[in-house]
Amino acid sequence: MKKFCTCIFYIFLCSCILTACGEPESNAASSVKAIYDLYILGDTTGISSLGMSDSEIKTVQTDYDNSLKATIRSNFSASGQEIDDDTLDELCAARKEALSKLKASAEVTSESEGKATVILHTTYFDESKLDQDAFYSAREAANQSGLATIEEQQVFLMNTYTQNLIAAYKDVTPSKDTNDVTVDCVIQDNSWVPVDMSEFGSDLALAITGPAQTSDTSGE
């Protein structure tokens, strides 16, 4: 049976996020944690201390919000439905609330000649399961709604699914354990930055949205 919509979100990191920094940053872990705090927690303290101006931070946050909303709209459109602005804002706000509950720490594991490797440890929640549970609960409600047409059922399903998802985000309890992200960094414009922002964003998105990441120790 066709699944109408699964909201999968990604991190859209700005490739030049720290190029405005004017003073050298001696600890690559501080830069990685500052990026995490900005995008995941909505905390601008770290990124400000690295030299990013308020206007630059505002631009980055606006670009991120617009990218997230465009992704959600696209997912709804693919299902043949539209999401109104108020509901979209509510959904994004609920997800931000869930992300703000996460915690992270970062440590430099190696550093030499302008290169460093940082391990970021972050708590997470299983966003895929959260999304699936919201959808399947809405589908069950739609099947029992007694609505006469498929079109009516689809609108009911999508509206219920969205409200279920909003409620689930608000009720998120982060993991007690952590997922780890390995980040290779270099000095650029007097600041430590990830070598590949896109790769860091992808790895971070997977880490914060779970499930727990495990290593294959079978030796195969």
Side-chain angles (χ1 to χ4, degrees), residues 16-211:
C16 58
I17 187 170
L18 297 179
T19 57
C21 299
E23 295 296 327
E25 173 55 56
S26 60
N27 190 346
S30 297
S31 291
V32 170
K33 181 62 163 55
I35 297 172
Y36 177 97
D37 288 351
L38 174 64
Y39 281 95
I40 308 306
L41 306 183
D43 183 350
T44 64
T45 305
I47 213 74
S48 294
S49 69
L50 293 177
M52 202 170 190
S53 69
D54 290 344
S55 62
E56 289 166 335
I57 292 172
K58 180 66 174 179
T59 297
V60 168
Q61 290 177 319
T62 299
D63 289 344
Y64 173 77
D65 288 344
N66 289 341
S67 296
L68 178 60
K69 289 180 179 181
T71 299
I72 297 172
R73 284 193 184 281
S74 177
N75 285 335
F76 271 80
S77 294
S79 72
Q81 297 294 316
E82 299 298 329
I83 182 169
D84 63 79
D85 290 340
D86 289 342
T87 302
L88 180 59
D89 288 343
E90 187 179 3
L91 180 57
C92 289
R95 187 174 190 266
K96 285 183 179 180
E97 180 180 339
L99 292 176
S100 71
K101 298 176 183 179
L102 300 180
K103 295 181 180 180
S105 62
E107 59 179 322
V108 176
T109 57
S110 66
E111 182 178 338
S112 177
E113 298 179 353
K115 297 181 180 180
T117 298
V118 174
I119 304 294
L120 178 75
H121 311 279
T122 178
T123 58
Y124 60 90
F125 57 90
D126 192 339
E127 189 165 33
S128 179
K129 184 178 186 306
L130 178 150
D131 175 81
Q132 290 173 8
D133 289 348
F135 175 82
Y136 288 128
S137 177
R139 187 177 66 177
E140 182 66 21
N143 290 339
Q144 297 177 2
S145 65
L147 295 172
T149 67
I150 294 177
E151 289 77 12
E152 289 176 325
Q153 289 183 13
Q154 185 175 359
V155 171
F156 177 89
L157 184 151
M158 294 306 296
N159 289 339
T160 305
Y161 160 74
T162 304
Q163 292 306 312
N164 286 350
L165 192 55
I166 289 170
Y169 278 131
K170 291 181 177 180
D171 197 39
V172 156
T173 299
S175 65
K176 293 182 179 179
D177 60 330
T178 61
N179 282 331
D180 295 345
V181 179
T182 300
V183 191
D184 292 323
C185 298
V186 295
I187 295 176
Q188 177 179 306
D189 293 334
N190 297 322
S191 292
W192 285 104
V193 296
V195 171
D196 189 331
M197 276 288 194
S198 178
E199 181 179 359
F200 175 41
S202 177
D203 290 345
L204 182 56
L206 292 174
I208 64 172
T209 57

